[in-house]
Amino acid sequence: MDGVLYDSMPSHARAWSEVLSSVGIKASEEEFYLFEGRTGRSTIQILFNRTFGRDASPEEVQSIYEKKMQRFIELEYPESKPMPGALEVLKKTKELGLQRIIVTGSGQHSLLGKLEKHYPGFFDKELIVTAYDVQNGKPHPEPYLMGLKKGRLQPEEAMVVENAPLGIESGRAAGIYTIAVNTGPLPNRILEESGAQIVYPSLQAFASDLDRLVSLW
């Protein structure tokens, strides 16, 4: 979702950094590219334990996450921009007869409407995994295992397209062939060390190579 279909990670990183700073937690914007893919609850708990040596209460988690999402909405107003090359990839998957499943740590209730506006006809509401579908976020394999379950697929029948280290770890832990598309500021080395089996410099480069990948697969 963020960082693959939408160019929204800079606003997520800034929103997290600003809101957590307001409650006494220091974290640079760059750090959130390494946290990308975790549920909001998990991110908050990691930083609370690092800073205060304790878990955040349910009320603290809810308050911080709501403030973070409000700040994100302000930064992205009026809406997130589709990631360059994403539509090209989606059109290619449709031509090749591939099923498309979204696996995101997002908890946005407006997800389907947003996708239909920018990518009409490419996604099925039954084939979306969000933070509400899992107990464990990325890098745990549960999100991608849930994606396989919803798509009625075995790991060897799927490929993961990720931009984030934790998402790559999640895909590999689920036993799925995992591709990285580097749409952010992290060096390729970090994506490779996380387990990416191929790293592309852009979604356009991935789209151009998708025919070849599918023929090998």
Side-chain angles (χ1 to χ4, degrees), residues 34-171:
L34 297 173
F35 287 146
E36 183 185 354
R38 291 190 184 277
T39 62
R41 179 181 65 252
S42 175
T43 298
I44 292 165
Q45 293 296 12
I46 287 170
L47 292 172
F48 250 72
N49 274 282
R50 187 177 79 185
T51 304
F52 305 122
R54 66 172 179 87
D55 284 345
S57 69
E59 293 77 19
E60 286 171 322
V61 169
Q62 182 178 352
S63 173
I64 289 169
Y65 190 68
E66 286 177 355
K67 288 176 182 176
K68 180 264 170 180
M69 286 307 302
Q70 181 57 44
R71 182 61 181 136
F72 171 75
I73 290 167
E74 293 168 358
L75 291 169
E76 286 291 289
Y77 181 83
E79 60 186 10
S80 300
K81 297 180 179 66
M83 182 66 76
L87 186 58
E88 188 178 342
V89 171
L90 293 173
K91 287 178 178 178
K92 180 65 73 171
T93 62
K94 209 165 198 178
E95 289 171 13
L96 293 168
L98 302 178
Q99 185 173 220
R100 295 161 299 280
I101 303 169
I102 290 182
V103 178
T104 177
S106 172
Q108 298 176 49
H109 290 286
S110 60
L111 196 58
L112 189 61
K114 182 177 178 180
L115 289 167
E116 269 304 302
K117 179 176 181 179
H118 295 110
Y119 303 111
F122 285 104
F123 295 105
D124 182 331
K125 67 179 180 180
E126 302 301 325
L127 297 178
I128 300 177
V129 178
T130 72
Y132 300 111
D133 294 302
V134 297
Q135 292 297 313
N136 302 288
K138 303 169 187 178
H140 195 281
E142 185 184 359
Y144 280 110
L145 292 174
M146 179 62 73
L148 293 174
K149 182 178 179 181
K150 288 194 174 196
R152 300 182 181 181
L153 298 169
Q154 296 301 311
E156 64 273 13
E157 296 176 305
M159 66 172 73
V160 165
V161 182
E162 267 286 352
N163 69 303
L166 296 181
I168 293 165
E169 291 178 33
S170 177

